[in-house]
Amino acid sequence: MNIQNILVTGGAGFIGSEVIRQLVTLENTNVINLDKLTYAGNLENLKSVESNSNYTFVKGDICDESLLKELFKTHKISKVIHLAAESHVDRSINDPLLFVRTNLIGTATLLNVAKSSWEGDYINKVFYHISTDEVYGSLNFGNDLFKETTSYDPRSPYSASKAGSDHLVRSFFHTYGFPILISNCSNNYGPYQFPEKLVPLCINNILNKKPLPIYGKGENIRDWLYVSDHADAILTILKNGQIGETYNIGGNNEWSNLDLVKVICKTMDLKLNRPEGDSEKLITFVQDRAGHDLRYAIDSSKIQKELGWTPSLQFEDGLKLTVDWYLQETEWLRNVSSGEYKSYYKNQYG
Ligand code: NAD
Ligand code: DAU
């Protein structure tokens, strides 16, 4: 029997918690979640799995070398899905060094410990780095798409730190034959996303009748993918991806920010029984994000052709599921907005 002991970093975050919810259902799989519980990490996201016998939570930092060494030894880690990161572009503009510390130093530390712990025995081992389409830079309006072969051109401290971490991971493959996988995904949306990101921010603000801040003219374009489809792609790559390869993941679902916010407004008006057009009145144009990338769009034909993955949800359905979730989980939203959720884990983990 081949047991896989998977270290998931950043598993208390938005995407990591969905990856864990899916992983714990797999046979012969133990999941060890290492998370520092920054403002973005929330153990309430993992309530549905916390008593599973194949799930363990460890509070800690990916920069902590001795903790990492201990974890690899104690849990006989054979696979790593590395999601822990500072993830918000606006925060990276205010505090770039934090992004360098977590995303670059943290990834380098984790890589180094995995390499020394596995001692050159790479059979059934893999270090899978979860990255972003933002490493490729910005596209003009039109039909161009980011491919796996597109040159890197990161333009924010966040995307530069993610690009650097991708390079480090790839360098371990080329230099040491270390077994790696990388995927670069477009914008995720769905349940449990911290309400600093555009979609949950708008849902939360519409609920509370607060302004919906649109940077610049709202013409910037993003490609949106439902979070469980991203997690499904991650599990597919983990299982069948070719070691050393990179896979782009996208929803083939481009929206300008203004159009996206208008659709959210419409959906919310219907759900809240508010008159049509009510929420759109909250739209407020504000100063543009510094260095705001114009357009991201992904060519995900490689993962589709080679691994047979495609998104399962239409955007309209994903958005309705998302809105329904936030309307139902008012306590989650209230706790996260007020910072109250910290008390949930502080009670347990100090
Ligand atoms: P998130 O901000 O919701 O979660 C990040 C998690 O990492 C949190 O639980 C946080 O506590 C943890 N963390 C931060 N610093 C840590 C440290 N030093 N040690 C241990 N844990 C730490 O992020 P997310 O949106 O779930 O993104 C997860 C990953 O996916 C990131 O690497 C991000 O770059 C990548 N990604 C995100 C998107 C997206 O749209 N959200 C798209 C593509 C790729
Ligand atoms: O493309 C993948 C990336 O998507 C991930 O790597 C990042 O971790 C994730 O945060 C996300 O980055 P974005 O910057 O695209 O996401 P955000 O939700 O912050 O912004 C989406 C778009 O909406 C972007 O063009 C900026 C704009 N925006 C954002 C906010 C928060 C606004 O107009 N107003 C806002 O208040």
Side-chain angles (χ1 to χ4, degrees), residues 271-326:
K271 296 277 176 191
L272 295 170
N273 286 321
R274 291 184 186 168
E276 202 183 322
D278 205 41
S279 301
E280 269 195 30
K281 290 186 202 140
L282 298 169
I283 289 177
T284 309
F285 292 93
V286 299
Q287 190 180 2
D288 209 353
R289 173 184 279 174
H292 197 174
D293 288 338
L294 186 61
R295 174 172 167 258
Y296 306 143
I298 277 272
D299 177 349
S300 53
S301 55
K302 177 173 171 180
I303 183 175
Q304 299 199 13
K305 278 192 203 125
E306 294 184 11
L307 305 183
W309 174 87
T310 47
S312 68
L313 268 185
Q314 295 293 325
F315 179 66
E316 291 69 23
D317 298 329
L319 189 61
K320 277 188 197 132
L321 282 176
T322 306
V323 166
D324 283 344
W325 186 87
Y326 280 94

Side-chain angles (χ1 to χ4, degrees), residues 15 86-90 131-135 158-159 162 185-188 193 195-202 205 212-216 218 220-224 257-258 260-261 284 286-289 292-294 296:
I15 301 171
E86 287 296 335
S87 68
H88 192 43
V89 173
D90 292 329
S131 193
T132 170
D133 59 357
E134 299 198 11
V135 298
Y158 163 70
S159 54
K162 291 297 289 187
C185 188
S186 58
N187 285 59
N188 286 213
Q193 187 168 30
E196 64 186 352
K197 308 280 166 63
L198 184 64
V199 171
L201 177 96
C202 287
N205 284 12
L212 307 176
I214 306 267
Y215 298 162
N220 304 63
I221 290 177
R222 298 289 182 266
D223 169 54
W224 294 91
N257 293 337
L258 185 56
L260 176 71
V261 172
T284 309
V286 299
Q287 190 180 2
D288 209 353
R289 173 184 279 174
H292 197 174
D293 288 338
L294 186 61
Y296 306 143

Side-chain angles (χ1 to χ4, degrees), residues 14-23 81 83 128 130 185 188 225-238 249 309:
F14 164 50
I15 301 171
S17 62
E18 176 59 24
V19 167
I20 289 180
R21 283 190 293 276
Q22 295 193 18
L23 275 179
I81 307 180
L83 296 114
Y128 180 4
I130 307 304
C185 188
N188 286 213
L225 179 68
Y226 193 69
V227 64
S228 63
D229 274 330
H230 185 194
D232 178 51
I234 290 172
L235 265 60
T236 302
I237 291 169
L238 183 75
I249 306 169
W309 174 87

Side-chain angles (χ1 to χ4, degrees), residues 89-147:
V89 173
D90 292 329
R91 287 179 189 258
S92 82
I93 294 168
N94 291 331
D95 189 359
L97 286 190
L98 175 63
F99 283 66
V100 169
R101 181 188 182 275
T102 300
N103 300 356
L104 276 168
I105 312 275
T107 302
T109 310
L110 188 59
L111 271 170
N112 225 19
V113 170
K115 179 174 156 290
S116 64
S117 302
W118 290 340
E119 293 175 335
D121 173 10
Y122 296 148
I123 296 166
N124 291 326
K125 308 283 197 318
V126 64
F127 185 104
Y128 180 4
H129 181 54
I130 307 304
S131 193
T132 170
D133 59 357
E134 299 198 11
V135 298
Y136 297 121
S138 181
L139 296 165
N140 290 322
F141 294 131
N143 299 322
D144 279 356
L145 301 172
F146 295 135
K147 299 186 187 1

